[in-house]
Amino acid sequence: MDTKTQKILQLLMQTGGTMTARELSFAAGFSEKSVRNCITEWNLSRDCPCFIDSGRDGYYLDAENRKRAAALNLLEGDQSDESRMLELLLETTAPLRLEDLAGRLYLSMSSASRLFRKIRETLKDYDLEACYIPQKGFIVEGSECSRRLCLTHNMMRRKPVQPVFLDKAGLTEPAWNRMVDELFAVLQREEFEIPAETADNLLTHILFSLSRIREGKVAERIPEISLSQMASEKSERTQSCMDAAEKMLEVLRRHSEFDIPDSEADYLTMHLLAKSAILHPNEVRISTWLQQLLDDTFTAIREQLGISFQNDFQTARYLAMHTESMLTRMQFHSTLENPMLSAIRKQYPEAFDCAVIMKERILQQYGLDCNDDELGYLALHFASALESGRTLRQQKILVVCGSGTSTSLLLKKKVEQEYNVGSEDMTLTGLRGLKTEDLSSYDMIITTVPLPVQSPVPVLLFEDLCRFRPIPV
């Protein structure tokens, strides 16, 4: 598609009505004759994806052709061509020759070759590969889960995508809205919270999955669908996500006219884990592997930058909540775009340096590399601590242990060493003693066992007391 035709389609999509050749000429910045010629050539072109109608009042797109136009990636220049080439490769079931791709996208062979080289690198980010079959062409090899992630992330770069996905999934907008209400009712009953900024992302992935399932392209079982690959145990959060995914799958089945296999529950679980789904948001369970990561990160930040987060339980809590879902996204090649990245990098350089140190520890320990978007989100947590001065303020801590006084004293001592908290700022208690404590008078509760009561303040639950280790002052 040439840039003039692209501009005409963009204008017709934006107005949603009829435009004369003169109006299109004025808005697009080229002559009326060019407008008419572009539209004629477009309508007569091979495999024209959407037809531009004309009437007494001018040119327009009818309802069906508006849907088809929405399916086109109307971005600018190379970005548009690259996106559409990627979709062609991922959605086809037969090999495609480079000259076929060039012809379908109206590109020269040199331009198509250049874009194809970029696409092969993009595919690698999702564990996909464009394999060459002699005398036939290229075909993408990889799992259905990887294809879905790559396709959805690519398609979400354009607006609007919902009409396209609804049509492919065989759903009307009212039916989809009813399904969405029931899906979020499930999450609410299961006591999950999903940040608003990622809720739309989750729904888009679900809707696109339905369109793929309808075409017979179902997700495979995902082995070890949890952070157990890194944690050596299945966390409560993982099991809760799996349970919620099963109930969400029941909702999808009730509203769909096609079979949805059990394996799709794994795909839903992956997205719940990756979208920062939080179970009991006031209580954060610090697993052994996550505690080790935070320990190493805070030590390195102190040594390299001279900044201490030793007594900052709030930052430890927020990072713990964020890191589990972030590592899941990285593990399954999912992405979470950060629209504030450039502002974060510019306004909080010191916090960004802290995030880079954490990125290095993640790469070293787990072999996962944070992209810049994820780095920006990590930096926000460090920036919040630095801006509020939490790293300098001593906090009042309640230490709870269910194993007796000696264990409580050991935990208290280790908290003193780990976070540089004075004994005068800590109170020891057992589970029975919670009944007489005013929990709201504390800044944080540290415990080795789940609390039997609802806490009004943040809770850190450490799974392995023995993994505490002192940080040198």
Side-chain angles (χ1 to χ4, degrees):
M1 182 193 310
D2 62 65
T3 55
K4 289 183 178 180
T5 306
Q6 181 176 313
K7 187 66 177 177
I8 290 170
L9 285 170
Q10 286 174 331
L11 290 168
L12 292 173
M13 286 290 290
Q14 288 166 7
T15 60
T18 302
M19 295 183 74
T20 64
R22 176 172 291 184
E23 289 170 337
L24 286 168
S25 169
F26 180 79
F30 43 85
S31 70
E32 291 181 44
K33 183 178 180 180
S34 293
V35 168
R36 294 190 184 95
N37 288 341
C38 282
I39 292 174
T40 300
E41 290 174 10
W42 173 254
N43 286 340
L44 294 175
S45 62
R46 183 181 61 177
D47 300 325
C48 173
C50 62
F51 192 84
I52 301 175
D53 283 304
S54 62
R56 187 175 61 181
D57 297 325
Y59 297 99
Y60 64 94
L61 293 168
D62 63 20
E64 183 60 32
N65 282 299
R66 281 183 64 79
K67 284 184 181 180
R68 294 175 180 174
L72 296 174
N73 194 336
L74 299 176
L75 301 172
E76 296 295 331
D78 277 359
Q79 192 179 19
S80 171
D81 294 327
E82 181 183 346
S83 181
R84 289 189 292 128
M85 182 181 288
L86 182 61
E87 285 179 31
L88 283 172
L89 285 164
L90 286 169
E91 292 190 326
T92 187
T93 56
L96 285 171
R97 296 179 302 168
L98 197 55
E99 47 265 44
D100 295 331
L101 291 168
R104 291 195 191 188
L105 299 173
Y106 310 105
L107 297 172
S108 67
M109 281 297 294
S110 60
S111 295
S113 297
R114 176 172 49 79
L115 290 178
F116 185 72
R117 286 194 295 271
K118 292 173 66 176
I119 286 171
R120 295 190 88 164
E121 294 303 311
T122 299
L123 291 172
K124 288 179 184 177
D125 292 338
Y126 294 88
D127 286 340
L128 298 169
E129 183 181 3
C131 300
Y132 180 70
I133 299 176
Q135 299 179 349
K136 291 185 178 181
F138 292 93
I139 191 164
V140 175
E141 298 286 350
S143 71
E144 170 63 15
C145 288
S146 295
R147 284 174 179 270
R148 286 186 193 179
L149 288 171
C150 188
L151 271 167
T152 312
H153 294 153
N154 178 61
M155 296 178 79
M156 282 194 297
R157 293 161 59 195
R158 64 169 181 255
K159 303 291 182 182
V161 295
Q162 184 167 302
V164 183
F165 290 168
L166 283 174
D167 186 55
K168 288 186 175 183
L171 291 169
T172 63
E173 189 169 346
W176 168 242
N177 290 336
R178 288 192 297 272
M179 190 184 295
V180 169
D181 290 341
E182 288 194 36
L183 289 171
F184 278 99
V186 167
L187 294 176
Q188 189 173 16
R189 285 195 300 271
E190 296 296 306
E191 298 184 289
F192 276 94
E193 287 188 5
I194 296 181
E197 63 270 18
T198 58
D200 286 344
N201 182 285
L202 172 63
L203 292 175
T204 300
H205 278 283
I206 291 174
L207 183 55
F208 183 65
S209 296
L210 290 173
S211 72
R212 297 283 290 182
I213 297 166
R214 190 181 182 219
E215 296 172 355
K217 299 166 183 173
V218 300
E220 310 86 349
R221 278 288 181 187
I222 301 175
E224 301 180 41
I225 177 85
S226 68
L227 295 175
S228 58
Q229 294 170 334
M230 292 175 278
S232 76
E233 76 245 288
K234 183 182 291 184
S235 69
E236 177 191 14
R237 176 173 172 271
T238 301
Q239 186 59 54
S240 299
C241 286
M242 294 173 74
D243 294 342
E246 291 287 352
K247 292 173 182 175
M248 292 173 72
L249 188 62
E250 293 174 10
V251 173
L252 300 183
R253 283 170 169 164
R254 281 199 304 272
H255 289 272
S256 301
E257 297 179 354
F258 43 86
D259 292 333
I260 302 179
D262 293 343
S263 60
E264 293 295 334
D266 287 358
Y267 191 71
L268 288 171
T269 302
M270 180 190 74
H271 280 291
L272 288 178
L273 285 166
K275 297 295 184 296
S276 300
I278 303 166
L279 178 68
H280 310 306
N282 204 41
E283 178 178 312
V284 179
R285 183 182 294 268
I286 308 292
S287 58
T288 303
W289 66 268
L290 186 52
Q291 183 182 329
Q292 180 74 51
L293 174 62
L294 294 177
D295 287 349
D296 291 347
T297 298
F298 289 169
T299 300
I301 289 173
R302 180 181 178 83
E303 291 174 351
Q304 297 179 36
L305 303 179
I307 301 171
S308 175
F309 293 96
Q310 287 172 292
N311 66 335
D312 187 0
F313 294 103
Q314 289 281 31
T315 296
R317 174 175 177 264
Y318 292 139
L319 281 172
M321 291 165 62
H322 179 83
T323 302
E324 278 203 78
S325 55
M326 180 188 72
L327 291 178
T328 305
R329 287 194 294 274
M330 293 163 63
Q331 183 180 354
F332 292 105
H333 310 287
S334 183
T335 60
L336 188 60
E337 188 175 348
N338 191 336
M340 304 175 291
L341 178 61
S342 131
I344 294 168
R345 198 192 295 266
K346 184 176 180 180
Q347 294 178 30
Y348 305 110
E350 198 170 39
F352 211 85
D353 289 341
C354 292
V356 169
I357 289 174
M358 187 165 183
K359 169 185 175 173
E360 292 168 350
R361 293 300 169 282
I362 291 171
L363 181 61
Q364 183 181 54
Q365 293 184 27
Y366 307 117
L368 299 172
D369 192 13
C370 293
N371 60 31
D372 286 348
D373 290 313
E374 297 288 7
L375 205 57
Y377 284 120
L378 286 176
L380 277 180
H381 293 294
F382 290 111
S384 175
L386 295 170
E387 288 281 303
S388 63
R390 287 202 306 264
T391 55
L392 303 177
R393 183 175 73 83
Q394 207 69 24
Q395 299 185 68
K396 190 177 178 184
I397 309 297
L398 177 65
V399 178
V400 181
C401 191
S403 304
T405 304
S406 59
T407 309
S408 296
L409 289 172
L410 176 61
L411 177 59
K412 176 175 178 288
K413 183 64 177 176
K414 287 184 175 291
V415 170
E416 288 180 21
Q417 293 175 320
E418 176 73 12
Y419 291 102
N420 196 27
V421 178
S423 59
E424 68 278 4
D425 296 303
M426 281 191 289
T427 300
L428 294 178
T429 189
L431 290 177
R432 292 182 181 179
L434 284 175
K435 297 178 181 178
T436 59
E437 290 286 348
D438 178 12
L439 301 185
S440 63
S441 66
Y442 296 94
D443 293 299
M444 177 74 67
I445 297 174
I446 294 180
T447 177
T448 58
V449 292
L451 299 184
V453 297
Q454 187 71 28
S455 171
V457 298
V459 177
L460 286 181
L461 196 160
F462 286 94
E463 294 181 347
D464 189 350
L465 174 61
C466 297
R467 289 303 300 269
F468 262 107
R469 58 187 181 83
I471 294 178
V473 178

